[in-house]
Amino acid sequence: MKAIVAVKQGPPDVLQLREAEKPTPKDNEVLVKVHVATVTRGDVILRRLPAWLFPLLLPLRFLGLRRKSIPGTELAGEVAAIGTNVTRFKPGDHVFGTTTGLGVGANAEYVCLPERWKTGVLARKPAGVPYEGAAAVPVGGMTALQILRKAHIQPGQKVLIYGASGSVGTYAVQLAKHYGAEVTGVCSKVNLDLAKSIGASNVIDYTKQDFAQTGEAYDVVFDAVGKISRSRAKPVLKARGRYLTVKSMTRENNEDLAHLGELLESGALKPVIDRTYPLEQAAEAHKYVETGRKRGNVVIAV
């Protein structure tokens, strides 16, 4: 099979298209023919980490952080074969999920995934949702969902999303809107229309205006890109307002993935796709994500 292989840690050029052995599912595994994968900020960070650092990060394997010989955390595809103990899936099922915690990723024609495991997820793809959209949901969608859930957003509350045009931010805007909030999105001028199109009632160009100087007060401020501190958000928070950050701990689970699938199917959630690259241009996709200018998600057509 064709696969993108990280020959070593380093810049995007360490990613090379190669022939790799097609995996065979173990008793508890599902073999997925990958149709679409993605490139996330997390994929870029993992590729850039020095190789000597991974042994020191051994405890983080329990959270799913480990080097991948084949990159790619998110995927959508079709079940090609199953192990003898698998009961949740059958060949022909359309699925989406992640490879979190595994030593190989989804930038390949096939990948084997456990039916259930502690650090990653796999579920049936919602009917009517394209592979491209489904593949772009798990990481950013679950991160936004789990962090916003802490605020118990109520209809009519005011929510500010800082970094409204990124993967987590675009989902956060839509989820907050779904909960009935009045959403203000903070992003650059080029992305203001995008933020409005996905549910932001108000937008702020951070290059021209400081959100902390607008005179508005919010029930929730969510930093979806990890760039503002609690102290900077405090002046615009109401007395019982909540500051949330993407740096908070989250944990993938099948229940949340299934919930996101329902929101996708109903149209309440729509993935934002910035660019699509063919598998052989995975290194170019990494270079683009590394610029920090992506809008929503970058996908790989396998």
Side-chain angles (χ1 to χ4, degrees), residues 36-39 132 272-278 284-285 287-289 291 293-301:
V36 178
T38 69
V39 177
E132 185 179 62
V272 174
I273 307 298
D274 185 343
R275 296 186 181 185
T276 301
Y277 292 83
E284 293 302 314
K287 289 177 184 178
Y288 178 61
V289 173
T291 66
R293 297 195 298 267
K294 76 178 179 72
R295 293 155 44 105
N297 303 274
V298 170
V299 302
I300 300 291

Side-chain angles (χ1 to χ4, degrees), residues 5 26-27 30 33 39 42 76 95-96 99 112 116 120 137 150 175 183 191 228 243 275 297-299:
V5 176
K26 298 177 182 177
D27 290 347
V30 174
K33 179 177 175 58
V39 177
V95 294
F96 71 131
T99 65
C112 277
R116 294 182 185 275
V137 168
K150 298 175 182 179
L175 288 168
V183 182
N191 292 318
I228 62 173
Y243 162 78
R275 296 186 181 185
N297 303 274
V298 170
V299 302

